Amino acid sequence: MNIANLVAVVLLLAVTTYAILGGADYGAGFWDLFAGGAVEGADARSLITRAVGPVWEVNHVWLVFCVVVLWTAFPPAFGSIMTTLSIPISLALLGIVLRGCGFAFRNEADRLSRQRLTGAVFAIASVLTPFFFGMAIGGIISGRVPVGNAAGDLITSWLNPTSVVVGVLAVAVAAYLAAVFLVTDAHRMLDPVLEDYFRDRAITAAVVAGIVALVGVFVLHNDAPFVFQGLEERGWPLMLLSGVCGVAALFLLRHNARRATRLLAAAAVAGIVWGWGAAQYPYILPESLTISAAAGAPATLGWLVVVVVGAVVLVVPSLILVFRLHDRSRLEENPLEVHISQNGTQALADAVPRVVIVGGGFGGVAAARALRGAPVRITLIDKTNYHLFQPLLYQVAGGILEPGTITTPIRSFFRGQKNVDVYMAEVTGVDTERKRVQLADAEPIPYDYLVLATGAHGSYFGHDDWEPLAPSMKTLADAEFLRRRIIGALERADHEADPAVREQLLTFVLVGAGPTGCELAGELAQHFRRVLKAEYRHVDPGDAHIILVEAGPRALATFSESLSKGAVDKLRSLGVDVRLGQAVQAVDAEGVVIAGQRVQTRTVLWTAGVAASPAGRWLNVETDRAGRVVVGSDLTVPGHPEVFVIGDTAHIEINGNVLPGVVQVAMQGGKHVAHTIRSRVLHQPAPKPFSYFDKGNMATISMSYAIMEKGKLKLSGPLGKTGWAFIHILYLGRAEGQLMLCLQWLSALVLGKTGSRYIDTPSLEAPLAPRTSMPAAETDLARSTQGIRA
């Protein structure tokens, strides 16, 4: 091997190293871009920042090395490439600058809007940079870079089929590398959820890269025949090795193995690069400039070899040390020193802080999941063993959905999260002095940090004696009872001879025209007329008189007036009797009094107003008129910095506005509390005060009509219904629940059939006993679809 070929091998080694390390770096930005919204993608982005932060500048050493070697050793090739391919190379270099600025300023930005802007710059530049580098390489492969400064066409040299395929392949390979590397980083940070998250993405990216590579073979055959022939003759063993290593890495990832996956993934990428080098050998610019013809003076090459050897001796050990320290979390300001014992339990140097979360609703689950990987022990307490998706609770009451569709076992959320223990029990109080949570039938549970996410229940505005007569709908038991009462009334009416009694049975009064009331009224009206009409022989459910009462001046007060009016018009077109500005004055077993008018009915449903759980009484602290605990900007209770209150139980005020009791407030609050606890445990700076990102409101009226609002964006009708359905399916989360939900909705929409109208009690109108106490671990109130944010 002559000295020119030796230097060419060194150059190819540098290109390979940059493709692997720099590629993984760019791929991390790719996953940052597609991690989801600011809240949903927070955990993935946090891991990406921790993984990339200490080493992102180090990786560019190899790019500088490539440029220096090419310029020094092969000046004609350097001049030809840099001038003919000046546009894609300039765009790639600009992407590196923007990427670095975005990454640096994102971590320093003090406003959420600035963080999003700089984060978007970082992520988008991370995708475009490898794409333009790939397009430049594609120009070389296709033979469109002749010898001479700007001798090739400045546009077609990189805008051609080969360049596009290689650019896309570069992005896919970078995404694959990053996902494989991030699986190991997630494991190092004790985060099994993110480990699964990036494992799935590694497999997806590998499949995409494989498909692009196969397409590339056909493109090379037609657009770059010289390199294609080289692959057939010399490069195919390396390409085959690349495929074998890639498949082996996927096999190990699929079976939850991590050892050697990084090495195999790197070998897969190296095989592609070296296969390319072998395919176009002995040319550095295919068919126009050989390696020997492009080589500089022998003395220059000789000294370059000496410098390279010196660099290897001095620089490479330093780089290896950097990556080793990074893998051991020694480059972070507050490294997480966690050791795993043989049985998989965590053993920390100090006592592990105990975090007790009361409530398995949206807020409580979000807080527990956001603490995955943190050096804490979590006990999540709930009165039930399931998480309830409350936004669709009214469809259980209306007989559309089976109860199991909207419930998820709480334990299933934490299958891979070893630091969570789920406890089904009823909480009766909190001893803040001794830091204990008191249970009804068990020993108290001590805590170092306490998170109360205990939800809310119906408020009767001082008329608690109405509760047995007008049940609310806040739990699964409530919804099932309402279903029995509604269907039971139809069953009795079908065989009732007295017209007056039959009319009374077919009259349904819903008190409160918020999202829950409007959605339930529309559901019942359409259900009675479309589905049940053909099933009863002696009575027409379509003749049911559904009255929706609202004491305020308009329904759906949280929406704009135009959307509110459109929803009311739709309800009235379905036959709902909407009465606005009329208050309910009395409720008894035979009916209600609405604005002085007596309405005979056997079924009154309470969909107005909520009151917080008794958490304020447990803590003996200040509460608002609804019983919600007044919390500080970090969601802690004044005087008790170790106690956090979130969701419907918390009175959260930002810029003079009290946040509503909706799902997104609970979820975002839960994640903020988790980040605060994590920072305290790891002795890191405290997060910024809680800020709420409003994703908008939505409510559905019928099978084809819903309203959505986010700022100036307003949707209604079928388009709003599509968005509403998509968001609800997405937020349901559980794959089997999503499938069941789609099938039941499809059955109701297409076939007009629902299968959840059974009555599981001999009595059609079982007596209701008034509640004597509020369940300790009520799930966070969603207020129907108002709580799901677009």
Side-chain angles (χ1 to χ4, degrees):
M1 177 182 292
N2 59 37
I3 192 168
N5 285 334
L6 176 61
V7 175
V9 169
V10 171
L11 178 59
L12 195 60
L13 279 170
V15 171
T16 303
T17 306
Y18 186 63
I20 294 170
L21 300 179
D25 196 10
Y26 294 131
F30 176 92
W31 296 121
D32 188 294
L33 180 63
F34 294 101
V39 177
E40 294 81 1
D43 293 332
R45 291 192 177 96
S46 176
L47 178 66
I48 290 168
T49 299
R50 294 176 75 112
V52 172
V55 296
W56 68 280
E57 292 177 295
V58 174
N59 295 328
H60 295 306
V61 168
W62 303 106
L63 177 61
V64 175
F65 189 77
C66 291
V67 173
V68 170
V69 171
L70 180 63
W71 170 49
T72 306
F74 308 104
F78 178 84
S80 302
I81 292 170
M82 291 300 171
T83 54
T84 296
L85 298 173
S86 58
I87 295 176
I89 291 176
S90 297
L91 291 173
L93 295 177
L94 177 63
I96 291 176
V97 174
L98 291 176
R99 182 179 182 276
C101 292
F103 184 80
F105 287 120
R106 177 172 70 174
N107 296 327
E108 298 298 328
D110 56 351
R111 282 179 162 180
L112 181 61
S113 59
R114 292 177 182 174
Q115 291 175 3
R116 286 185 181 142
L117 176 60
T118 53
V121 170
F122 161 72
I124 294 173
S126 295
V127 175
L128 294 180
T129 299
F131 177 71
F132 285 121
F133 272 139
M135 294 194 80
I137 292 172
I140 297 171
I141 292 174
S142 65
R144 290 181 170 90
V145 182
V147 181
N149 292 336
D153 189 279
L154 295 180
I155 302 300
T156 60
S157 61
W158 60 281
L159 278 179
N160 56 76
T162 300
S163 292
V164 172
V165 169
V166 176
V168 174
L169 181 62
V171 174
V173 167
Y176 164 65
L177 275 172
V180 173
F181 281 35
L182 287 168
V183 168
T184 304
D185 284 319
H187 178 71
R188 175 169 58 87
M189 300 308 298
L190 302 179
D191 198 329
V193 175
L194 282 181
E195 195 175 338
D196 292 338
Y197 175 90
F198 284 111
R199 180 182 292 110
D200 292 341
R201 278 147 184 78
I203 295 171
T204 301
V207 172
V208 172
I211 294 173
V212 174
L214 288 176
V215 172
V217 171
F218 294 99
V219 172
L220 289 179
H221 180 269
N222 296 315
D223 195 53
F226 177 81
V227 172
F228 178 80
Q229 184 178 355
L231 286 176
E232 282 189 316
E233 295 175 357
R234 300 177 299 277
W236 68 267
L238 292 165
M239 292 297 184
L240 179 62
L241 176 64
S242 172
V244 170
C245 290
V247 171
L250 291 183
F251 177 81
L252 292 177
L253 284 174
R254 186 68 181 83
H255 290 80
N256 297 330
R258 286 167 298 276
R259 290 187 177 182
T261 52
R262 285 187 174 187
L263 182 61
L264 288 169
V269 176
I272 295 175
V273 176
W274 282 79
W276 160 44
Q280 72 176 43
Y281 181 80
Y283 288 94
I284 195 167
L285 296 178
E287 297 189 272
S288 63
L289 186 63
T290 63
I291 294 173
S292 58
T300 302
L301 297 180
W303 277 108
L304 183 60
V305 171
V306 173
V307 171
V308 167
V309 172
V312 169
V313 172
L314 295 176
V315 177
V316 171
S318 301
L319 294 177
I320 292 174
L321 177 61
V322 167
F323 287 114
R324 286 203 170 192
L325 292 175
H326 173 52
D327 281 342
R328 297 175 183 176
S329 300
R330 299 294 296 276
L331 297 180
E332 299 168 10
E333 293 182 4
N334 296 284
L336 175 62
E337 296 183 358
V338 181
H339 305 283
I340 305 298
S341 62
Q342 291 183 351
N343 63 2
T345 58
Q346 298 179 10
L348 303 181
D350 301 320
V352 181
R354 296 161 299 188
V355 178
V356 175
I357 300 174
V358 182
F362 290 99
V365 169
R369 297 180 75 174
L371 282 169
R372 53 182 173 265
V376 296
R377 288 184 303 171
I378 304 168
T379 301
L380 194 154
I381 309 172
D382 197 287
K383 187 178 179 181
T384 67
N385 72 335
Y386 58 83
H387 168 81
L388 179 64
F389 191 74
Q390 284 190 324
L392 293 178
L393 198 58
Y394 77 96
Q395 292 203 359
V396 174
I400 299 296
L401 297 180
E402 295 287 349
T405 306
I406 62 170
T407 59
T408 303
I410 296 176
R411 295 179 185 274
S412 68
F413 288 118
F414 308 106
R415 289 176 178 173
Q417 191 171 340
K418 302 300 182 183
N419 65 346
V420 176
D421 182 23
V422 178
Y423 196 163
M424 191 175 81
E426 181 175 358
V427 174
T428 58
V430 176
D431 185 343
T432 55
E433 291 186 4
R434 294 191 291 176
K435 295 185 178 180
R436 293 184 176 183
V437 175
Q438 298 168 344
L439 305 179
D441 299 311
E443 293 295 320
I445 297 179
Y447 65 84
D448 295 300
Y449 298 97
L450 175 63
V451 181
L452 295 176
T454 47
H457 60 90
S459 172
Y460 291 83
F461 308 109
H463 297 281
D464 291 345
D465 55 310
W466 293 355
E467 183 177 7
L469 304 168
S472 61
M473 187 175 55
K474 301 296 180 288
T475 69
L476 189 63
D478 291 340
E480 290 181 310
F481 178 84
L482 292 180
R483 183 193 62 204
R484 291 196 299 268
R485 174 165 283 196
I486 293 168
I487 301 302
L490 294 178
E491 296 293 337
R492 292 191 59 183
D494 193 48
H495 294 282
E496 176 58 55
D498 188 338
V501 175
R502 185 167 59 247
E503 182 179 357
Q504 187 180 28
L505 289 168
L506 290 177
T507 299
F508 301 87
V509 177
L510 284 68
V511 183
T516 301
C518 291
E519 289 174 339
L520 183 57
E523 187 66 55
L524 291 179
Q526 193 165 51
H527 193 44
F528 286 171
R529 287 158 177 74
R530 185 173 184 271
V531 177
L532 302 184
K533 188 178 182 70
E535 296 186 5
Y536 289 85
R537 298 294 177 261
H538 309 293
V539 68
D540 183 1
D543 292 336
H545 187 192
I546 301 172
I547 304 173
L548 179 63
V549 185
E550 171 57 47
R554 64 187 182 93
L556 298 169
T558 58
F559 291 83
S560 64
E561 190 167 352
S562 60
L563 289 180
S564 172
K565 183 179 183 302
V568 170
D569 290 343
K570 182 63 178 179
L571 284 169
R572 285 173 173 159
S573 72
L574 293 174
V576 178
D577 182 0
V578 182
R579 303 185 183 185
L580 303 178
Q582 301 184 30
V584 172
Q585 298 168 322
V587 180
D588 57 44
E590 298 296 325
V592 297
V593 176
I594 304 173
Q597 178 185 356
R598 176 76 180 181
V599 176
Q600 297 292 115
T601 178
R602 298 284 184 91
T603 307
V604 182
L605 310 177
W606 194 265
T607 58
V610 294
S613 72
R617 296 199 302 271
W618 296 344
L619 300 172
N620 193 26
V621 294
E622 179 187 1
T623 61
D624 63 10
R625 294 175 57 186
R628 297 176 295 183
V629 177
V630 179
V631 297
S633 60
D634 58 355
L635 307 185
T636 60
V637 177
H640 299 282
E642 76 286 354
V643 180
F644 302 83
V645 182
I646 60 176
D648 295 343
T649 312
H651 174 101
I652 307 171
E653 191 169 331
I654 298 179
N655 298 328
N657 298 316
V658 179
L659 297 185
V662 295
V663 167
Q664 284 300 328
V665 173
M667 293 179 67
Q668 293 178 33
K671 292 182 178 181
H672 184 274
V673 164
H675 294 323
T676 301
I677 294 174
R678 185 191 294 267
S679 67
R680 292 187 190 178
V681 172
L682 297 177
H683 306 291
Q684 295 176 340
K688 297 171 184 176
F690 175 67
S691 61
Y692 171 57
F693 177 59
D694 187 356
K695 295 186 177 181
N697 286 344
M698 59 176 60
T700 182
I701 305 302
S702 70
M703 287 186 178
S704 61
Y705 190 95
I707 58 176
M708 299 178 63
E709 183 173 23
K710 173 63 173 80
K712 295 182 179 180
L713 177 64
K714 299 176 184 179
L715 298 176
S716 61
L719 189 60
K721 184 67 177 186
T722 302
W724 177 92
F726 174 78
I727 292 296
H728 279 70
I729 293 172
L730 179 66
Y731 271 82
L732 190 59
R734 190 168 52 103
E736 56 269 35
Q738 291 172 329
L739 180 60
M740 290 172 60
L741 179 63
C742 291
L743 290 176
Q744 291 179 55
W745 278 352
L746 188 63
S747 175
L749 179 64
V750 178
L751 303 178
K753 294 181 179 180
T754 59
S756 187
R757 298 195 303 276
Y758 60 87
I759 298 177
D760 56 0
T761 175
S763 173
L764 298 183
E765 290 191 44
L768 275 173
R771 286 181 182 158
T772 56
S773 63
M774 179 63 194
E778 194 92 57
T779 49
D780 290 294
L781 176 64
R783 287 188 189 170
S784 191
T785 48
Q786 180 190 1
I788 290 291
R789 299 304 199 178

